[in-house]
Amino acid sequence: MSNPTPINITVTVDTDNITEENKNYAVVFSQGLGGPIEQPGHPENYTSQVEKNQQIIWTAVPKTGNTEVFFQDVKHKSGKEIMQTIKRGDGHNVFTAKIKNGNFNPDDEEKYSITIGLNGYEGIAGSNENGPMVYLGKTVAYMDSYQDNVWHVVAEAPFEIEGIAGYNTSGAIIYSGNRVAYMNGFASNQWVEITPAPFPIQGITGENSRGVIVYNGSRVAYIDNYNQGIWVEVANAPFDIEGIAGDNLGGPIVYAGNKVQCMMSYNDNRWQSMIDAPIEIEGMSGTYRNGTVIYGGNKVYRSNDGIWTAVANAPYDNVEGIAGNSVRGPIIFSGPQLQYMSNYNENAWHSVAAMPFSTRTFIIDPKLQIKKRD
């Protein structure tokens, strides 16, 4: 049986006038050419009828003018989990997903959220030992002391950043497309581009003292010497990767849904299954040595030796990213706001100063519904 024709959903944003108060009127959904258009003011009533194995493609466009629109994230919010393999498409304004081939009842619904950004992609890396690093567009900032609670902005990146990795002690690593640049310690305040990756990058991990690891689909490649500039591809992961963590010392850790695999030796070049996560993972950080931290919705878990342990729920309904590890604790963000947990016995979240730039993100909540059979 052939797969159904993909659904194309256009998300039109009034970039000139949108505010948090009027976002439900400033963002309008429409489907295909001549398809249904969401009634302004009520995006929660915009429902796409979908079928098993069907691909969905969201494309964001400005209503007028040349302001770029970025899709920061698309994620499950409530109801039946109908979608899988949710990821960025080709371009800053495209996201894709696939409807699961599961047992659904007609009219099963999934409410999902779309996070729209006007000032570029946003993300986080780092650890509580050395402090977080954050980015928006071409701007990177770091905080090296929660007590001082001050952000330090570094030189502008050489490209619009799509992802970040690294620690404050050895600086940040960033990417866009297949371009990769690093800042080896913030004292240098200079970005250095390395040999382009062997494919367009979808995610990045690692730190500068041991190099960087990237993925696209099921492909994974690493570079452990920037001067030599040689990328090495390893065996393909056993699934289409949705996120990556780890470093070149302990090896990469990848996930899709609640499935987790690791490669602890590049010489063995073999992926090994880890215990399934208790949630559908939306973000992961950490290393094999120090353990990982994950989130899904507002639920956060840590792992050591493959055992998952829940910590206090995140203080945000829409967590957008996570950093840290299972020893020093996680750091999460939502929009410009950050919170961290450094003591699992205390099991409490603490806020720090907001990011030092205007994130300009807006969250909209439409729905998917399994189509009735004719």
Side-chain angles (χ1 to χ4, degrees), residues 140 154-159 163-167 170-175 179-186 188-195 204 206-209 211-212 223 225-229 231:
V140 174
V154 302
E156 185 175 276
F159 45 69
I164 192 169
Y167 301 106
S170 54
I173 317 163
I174 56 176
Y175 80 87
R179 296 173 66 184
V180 180
Y182 71 94
M183 183 176 285
N184 196 13
F186 293 121
S188 70
N189 202 30
Q190 182 176 356
W191 294 102
V192 179
E193 283 205 54
I194 64 173
T195 308
I204 191 169
E207 45 88 25
N208 284 326
S209 67
V212 64
I223 187 169
N225 187 309
Y226 294 146
N227 293 325
Q228 291 179 359
W231 288 94

Side-chain angles (χ1 to χ4, degrees), residues 50-89:
V50 296
E51 303 175 57
K52 294 180 182 180
N53 293 319
Q54 193 166 34
Q55 186 186 32
I56 306 173
I57 304 168
W58 293 270
T59 303
V61 296
K63 181 179 179 180
T64 58
N66 298 316
T67 302
E68 292 186 322
V69 182
F70 292 78
F71 275 143
Q72 177 76 12
D73 207 354
V74 175
K75 64 173 66 176
H76 170 81
K77 185 168 185 180
S78 62
K80 184 82 171 181
E81 291 198 22
I82 295 172
M83 293 187 289
Q84 64 181 0
T85 320
I86 307 171
K87 60 185 180 181
R88 278 186 200 152

